[in-house]
Amino acid sequence: MSVSPVVVPAGDFGRAALGIFLEACAPFAAPVVGLATGNTPIPLYQALGEAVRARAIGIGHLRPFAIDEYGGPRDHPCSNRAFFARYWDSIAGAPAVGQFDPESASASREAARLGATLSTAGGLDVVVLGIGLNGHLAFNEPGTERTRGAHAATLRAETRESARACWGAGTPGWGLTLGLKELLQSTRAILLASGAAKAEVVARALKGPVSRDCPASFLQEHPALTVVLDEGAASLLT
Ligand code: PGA
C-alpha cells in the first residue's frame, strides 16, 4: 500500500495529530487506545489537554494502554509510567492507563498479562505510535517477527543510546512491549514522527522494503494507517 502522509509545519504538529486521533476514535463508543511515549507525542497530549480544558472534548470514555515500558525501576522519572503521570494523568477526567509493571517477578509473564488484558478488552481500536531511529515500533526492535505478541525485549544499542539522554548511566537494557501482533492488528494506526533526524528512517519505513529489519515498514501493510509528519521528518520523502 502506498502511504500518503499528512505533513504539517512543526508548530502545527500537536494540533494535526490531535485531529487525526479524535477522528480515529470517533467511531468507537469506548475506544481501546494504545498510547506512545517519548518526545514525539508530547505535543499531541498537550493539545489534547488544551482541548479538554477548553471543554471542547472529554476523554473519560477512552480505554488507554501503554504500548511499552522500560525495564527499570517502576517509579523512575524516566519511566513511561512517569511520562503518563505527567502528560496523561494531568488531563482532567483521564482514565488510568493500563501499564506494564517492570518490577514484576517475571518479565515474560508480565508482558503476557498486559497482552491478555488488552485482548480481553477487544484489542486496540486505535494505536498511536512513534518510530525509533532504528525503525522500532514500541520496543519491537529490528529482527522482531511480525506475529510476535507482547514480550520482554532486549533493547538495541541505538535504543539505549536514545534513552541515555534521560536515564544516563542507569539506562535499562530491556523493556516490556506490546508485540507487532497487537500493534498491527489495531483497527486504526497513527504513526507520528517529527524532526529531520527521523527523515531517513521515515523514508525507509514508508518507502523501503517491508521487512523485519525495519519493523515500522510493516505499517505499509496496515489497512488503516495515517502518518503525521512535520516538515523535517518528511524531508526525504519524494
Ligand atoms: P521519540 O521516540 O519520540 O522520543 O523520538 C520514538 C520511539 O523510539 O519510538
Side-chain angles (χ1 to χ4, degrees):
M1 191 182 81
S2 139
V3 181
S4 309
V6 175
V7 181
V8 297
D12 292 341
F13 189 72
R15 211 156 23 123
L18 178 62
I20 301 290
F21 177 69
L22 295 177
E23 178 199 282
C25 290
F28 304 97
V32 175
V33 295
L35 298 177
T37 56
N39 293 317
T40 309
I42 291 174
L44 163 64
Y45 300 131
Q46 288 173 334
L48 183 62
E50 281 165 26
V52 169
R53 272 196 302 282
R55 299 184 192 280
I57 56 162
I59 58 170
H61 63 302
L62 303 181
R63 292 183 286 162
F65 282 81
I67 60 171
D68 58 10
E69 179 58 286
Y70 288 99
R74 184 173 42 214
D75 297 320
H76 192 283
C78 301
S79 67
N80 290 346
R81 190 171 292 258
F83 179 98
F84 285 118
R86 183 162 181 197
Y87 293 107
W88 180 266
D89 300 342
S90 59
I91 302 174
V97 180
Q99 301 195 53
F100 294 105
D101 179 359
E103 291 186 15
S104 165
S106 161
S108 58
R109 273 208 296 275
E110 173 59 8
R113 178 197 64 79
L114 197 67
T117 305
L118 175 63
S119 174
T120 301
L124 294 166
D125 294 312
V126 177
V127 66
V128 177
L129 297 163
I131 180 171
L133 287 170
N134 65 4
H136 73 205
L137 288 182
F139 283 146
N140 292 276
E141 297 281 33
T144 308
E145 297 285 350
R146 62 173 302 161
T147 51
R148 187 98 197 258
H151 62 281
T154 300
L155 302 185
R156 299 270 292 240
E158 314 85 69
T159 301
R160 291 201 307 274
E161 189 50 41
S162 298
R164 212 176 306 280
C166 185
W167 286 86
T171 300
W174 63 281
L176 291 156
T177 188
L178 296 182
L180 290 173
K181 177 175 158 208
E182 290 91 359
L183 301 179
L184 296 171
Q185 280 177 349
S186 56
T187 306
R188 287 279 310 262
I190 301 168
L191 177 67
L192 305 179
S194 56
K198 292 283 173 73
E200 194 180 328
V201 73
V202 164
R204 208 148 58 84
L206 301 185
K207 305 289 180 193
V210 175
S211 151
R212 61 185 185 180
D213 294 342
C214 180
S217 67
F218 290 124
L219 288 170
Q220 291 180 37
E221 296 176 347
H222 193 287
L225 169 71
T226 306
V227 182
V228 185
L229 306 174
D230 73 357
E231 290 166 344
S235 58
L236 293 179
L237 295 172
T238 45

